Amino acid sequence: MEKIYKLSNVTCQSCVRLIETVLSKTEGVTSATVNLATETLNIDFNPEIILEEEWIKKLTDLGYGVKEIKDLKEVNLKIEGMHCQSCVSLIEKMIPKLKGVKSINVNLATETGMVTYDSEIIKLSEILKKMEELGFKGRKIEELKTEDIEEDKKKLKKDFNEFLLAIIFGGLIFYISMGHMIGLPIPKIINPEFNPLNFALIQLIFSIPVIYSGRRFYTVGLKQLAKGTPSMDSLIALGTGAAFLYSLHGTYEIFKGANEYAHMLYYESGVVIIALISLGKYLEKISKGKTSEAIKKLLTLQSKKANLIRENEIVEVDIEEVEEGDILLVKPGESVPSDGVVIDGHSSIDESMLTGESIPIEKLPGEKVYGASINGNGSLKIKVTATGKNTVLSKIIKLVENAQGSKAPIARMADVVSGYFVPAVIVIAVLSSLTWYYLGKNGIVTIPDSPSVFALTILISVLVIACPCSLGLATPTAIMVGTGKGAELGILIKSGVALEKAHKIDTIVFDKTGTITEGKPRVTDIISLGNRKVDELLRIGSSLEVYSEHPLGSAIVLEGKNKGFEFLEVKNFKSVTGQGVKGIIDGMEVLIGNRKFMENSNIELKNIEQLNDLGTLGKTPMLMGINGKLEGIIAVADRVKEDSKITVDILHKMGLKVVMLTGDNKKTAEAIGKEVGIDIVISEVTPEDKYLEIKRLQGEGLKVAMVGDGINDSPALVQADVGIAVGGGTDIAMESADIVLMKNTIRDVPLAMELSHSTIKNIKENLFWAFIYNGLGIPLAAGLLYPITGHLLNPMIAGGAMALSSVSVVSNALRLRFFKSKY
């Protein structure tokens, strides 16, 4: 039986050896392999010989934690019917109680949820059924499509129509109930002074369409209240419901002859509150739609058609029909239908929508192109290498979707508060209402209305103003806009967690090769130590290195090609690991390698002071010997990228410490570090040990971000607090990194840090105003200032303020769309 387990307390290679040794000596265990970087154990054991509990006990006795990693399913759901953070809390509280459900992460701003469950224990249909019982409708979504955007537009139109229904009839009721008080003309047939019953009945009739438009508050809110899981809908249903029921009672009393009740009707408060909340929700949805514009823009870039070349004929087909290996023609000005490789033609491609780089890139045969990028003036024939979900654009959309649907740790505060918020508000509303009724009834406080009307006003105001909508939207909207803006800039932030962690970073660790440097060694110096000319040494050296696979040898070959040399024939080629290469060229024995190689080959070394000078400059010198005599030095170096020094300078201005991690020798590493302005240089580190260096820095209390190419640096990227991959679109699916920089430049590292800081600042602003709003609004609605000012908070004003609070939070988050770097 093969299984995978997560280990804890595994700190070094000796731990790995100890665990593997103990398990290998355990009867019934066929094999056991520990991965230190991921802290996982792959084990194959026979349960008939040894029980799982027995070998786990052996490891726990040694001080290690062992937990099975189950093959859980993750499904993205579209959840309809959520209105506030209490809805989110309700789902996140009740769904994980189902046996087999590990977790559900709900995002109010995107109205989505990611549920993780064990399909062997529970089915998705059972989860959706439970969700429906709670008052919400969930459906599985594979990925966001253009059809979903159209569906959202239809729902938005429906919401507008219902708001229009509520505002028209609500306005009529408001005019009828309040117009006569300020001298506005009211037909005698419905004037309360002449026909109080008609006055009440017309308001009751006009209230029905408004109640219908806001029916969800009652069908869902009261249902949730009955189940002991109240939400914002419950607050609105209680508040407006109390107003309607009281007014209905007043209408009945008028019917019996008690005409004084005509001045104690609350129909207008109930309907205007529903209308205002409907308006707030409509404006909120429009604003939330703007927060996801980044994904919408990417979706609109996807081609619908492609020109397929089949048997020398061009056939226009739907993009869904294109398969890997097909040959497509991309005409001037068209968008590239899918990822591929140019096989014929020459043109410039605008890839700004993928990388944020505004300058078009020249494309020749053999170079890669990406779907949705825009072709320039030339025609191209491309061979398709990826379609559908495997294209770079689709992967970007998926990354941004996942990030926008994720939850940052800072949101947990809102989750905890909202879990207790609604029940607490109901208690406060009831207690404050009863208190004022008692005070008014017993004459302790002078009130203008009857005690029951005054108490009802208090009850409705508290219930309506206390909606935690703004609290629930504070974090997800900012994350949506922040990650969307990042995507526009070519910075893909994979989650809200990564976004929040990034703003706490105080140390940036760079891998050297391919990150700070170009990653392509080039010949920098050729020094003749004898009578041979420089070009002759290069021609001989490049001819020999053609047979070598070493990167330094490739640099010499490239230099020879650039000079246009025809390579000489080489006989008896031999490579000596860690030293150099040798062979026979035109009867001459030629050797290229390091000092040790020359000494072992009995070649006398003299007058080579240049070796130290070259090493100090960060160059790698290779000695060349011909027929037993030292003839020259060829120096190779990996050139520093143009923007490396600028980037390090900016990071220093931001107050960050910069570290360089490399496997290069100390002299070379320090030379490059000095050139760029690095604070700490850690050299001669193997790829396997890079993550241990990250761990060591973290052990010193530093918050570390690791910047690498996402391939051989993956253990270090995973170990770092934030892993940043610089790879461009060629390797977008870098699972090990938290942030992916689409441009092949580190210049966007400080930009990513800035964006993180701005987004977290925005979240904190949103949370501050959300808490302040509720913190001040509830006491005001409860009549705290009435003894001083003599005024109560009108329920309609409370409803309007509640609606505007959500809009203000979303509007503040939208400011991130205008984010720009300070540097």
Side-chain angles (χ1 to χ4, degrees), residues 143 324 338-339 370 385-396 729 732-733:
E143 60 181 358
E324 192 174 326
S338 197
D339 294 3
Y370 305 104
T385 56
T387 61
K389 295 179 183 179
N390 297 319
T391 62
V392 168
L393 179 64
S394 293
K395 288 175 181 177
I396 290 175
I732 192 64

Side-chain angles (χ1 to χ4, degrees), residues 346-538:
H346 169 230
S347 186
S348 57
I349 298 282
D350 179 3
E351 296 180 350
S352 59
M353 66 292 297
L354 300 178
T355 65
E357 179 58 65
S358 58
I359 301 172
I361 300 169
E362 294 293 316
K363 297 291 182 179
L364 298 169
E367 295 186 341
K368 293 183 179 180
V369 292
Y370 305 104
S373 54
I374 306 299
N375 187 22
N377 296 324
S379 291
L380 296 174
K381 284 184 182 179
I382 66 167
K383 183 176 182 179
V384 176
T385 56
T387 61
K389 295 179 183 179
N390 297 319
T391 62
V392 168
L393 179 64
S394 293
K395 288 175 181 177
I396 290 175
I397 291 171
K398 192 64 181 173
L399 280 175
V400 177
E401 276 182 345
N402 290 342
Q404 294 187 342
S406 67
K407 187 173 288 189
I410 197 171
R412 289 175 191 152
M413 179 170 52
D415 290 345
V416 173
V417 170
S418 62
Y420 301 98
F421 190 81
V422 174
V425 166
I426 293 173
V427 171
I428 292 170
V430 172
L431 287 178
S432 57
S433 178
L434 292 174
T435 300
W436 281 107
Y437 180 81
Y438 173 80
L439 295 174
K441 187 78 173 174
N442 292 283
I444 299 171
V445 175
T446 303
I447 54 178
D449 302 309
S450 69
S452 58
V453 171
F454 194 88
L456 181 64
T457 303
I458 293 287
L459 178 74
I460 297 170
S461 296
V462 174
L463 289 173
V464 170
I465 202 169
C467 169
C469 298
S470 55
L471 196 62
L473 291 168
T475 301
T477 49
I479 289 175
M480 283 182 71
V481 182
T483 52
K485 185 63 181 178
E488 286 180 25
L489 297 170
I491 301 168
L492 302 184
I493 303 166
K494 289 187 176 180
S495 68
V497 175
L499 194 66
E500 183 170 346
K501 281 185 176 180
H503 99 284
K504 297 178 181 177
I505 294 299
D506 52 33
T507 304
I508 306 284
V509 178
F510 287 98
D511 173 52
K512 180 186 77 70
T513 307
T515 306
I516 286 179
T517 63
E518 293 177 355
K520 298 175 182 177
R522 298 184 184 182
V523 172
T524 58
D525 303 87
I526 302 174
I527 302 169
S528 176
L529 300 175
N531 297 322
R532 297 179 188 272
K533 292 181 179 180
V534 168
D535 281 356
E536 184 183 356
L537 291 175
L538 177 60

Side-chain angles (χ1 to χ4, degrees), residues 626-821:
I626 300 177
N627 290 335
K629 181 183 176 184
L630 187 65
E631 289 286 350
I633 302 172
I634 300 178
V636 174
D638 186 2
R639 294 181 185 178
V640 172
K641 290 181 179 178
E642 291 181 5
D643 54 6
S644 292
K645 189 174 190 326
I646 297 170
T647 300
V648 173
D649 288 343
I650 292 172
L651 291 172
H652 283 151
K653 287 177 184 176
M654 293 173 69
L656 299 171
K657 184 183 290 184
V658 184
V659 179
M660 186 177 78
L661 205 56
T662 178
D664 278 358
N665 63 70
K666 190 175 181 181
K667 274 189 177 181
T668 301
E670 286 181 349
I672 292 173
K674 186 177 180 182
E675 181 183 348
V676 178
I678 302 290
D679 299 313
I680 301 171
V681 176
I682 303 172
S683 56
E684 300 176 2
V685 180
T686 64
E688 294 80 12
D689 289 337
K690 282 183 180 179
Y691 85 97
L692 290 176
E693 289 294 336
I694 299 293
K695 212 168 187 178
R696 182 181 63 77
L697 290 169
Q698 290 170 325
E700 295 174 6
L702 300 175
K703 297 292 182 184
V704 181
M706 171 69 189
V707 184
D709 60 16
I711 302 169
N712 61 342
D713 297 317
S714 55
L717 290 169
V718 171
Q719 178 60 41
D721 295 285
V722 175
I724 303 176
V726 184
T730 54
D731 195 14
I732 192 64
M734 295 181 190
E735 296 297 332
S736 52
D738 301 299
I739 298 174
V740 177
L741 305 182
M742 291 294 293
K743 299 176 203 168
N744 195 13
T745 170
I746 61 171
R747 180 64 183 83
D748 284 343
V749 172
L751 191 62
M753 296 294 110
E754 276 189 277
L755 182 59
S756 167
H757 281 277
S758 295
T759 305
I760 297 302
K761 181 184 176 185
N762 191 283
I763 289 172
K764 288 178 178 177
E765 289 170 353
N766 285 348
L767 287 172
F768 171 78
W769 288 113
F771 278 118
I772 286 293
Y773 166 81
N774 283 293
L776 294 177
I778 293 173
L780 284 176
L784 184 67
L785 297 181
Y786 179 78
I788 302 169
T789 64
H791 294 288
L792 278 183
L793 184 67
N794 189 292
M796 289 181 284
I797 296 174
M802 187 277 286
L804 288 173
S805 68
S806 299
V807 177
S808 63
V809 163
V810 178
S811 299
N812 185 51
L814 286 171
R815 290 190 305 112
L816 285 169
R817 294 166 67 193
F818 308 104
F819 164 82
K820 287 184 179 179
S821 174

Side-chain angles (χ1 to χ4, degrees), residues 25 55 87 109 128 139 192 216 221 249 259 311 358 377 445 473 545 587 695 703 705 747 768 798 806:
K25 292 180 179 179
W55 66 259
C87 297
L128 297 180
R139 63 179 174 86
R216 177 186 160 72
H249 167 71
N259 292 340
E311 296 178 358
S358 58
N377 296 324
V445 175
L473 291 168
E545 291 289 1
K695 212 168 187 178
K703 297 292 182 184
R747 180 64 183 83
F768 171 78
S806 299

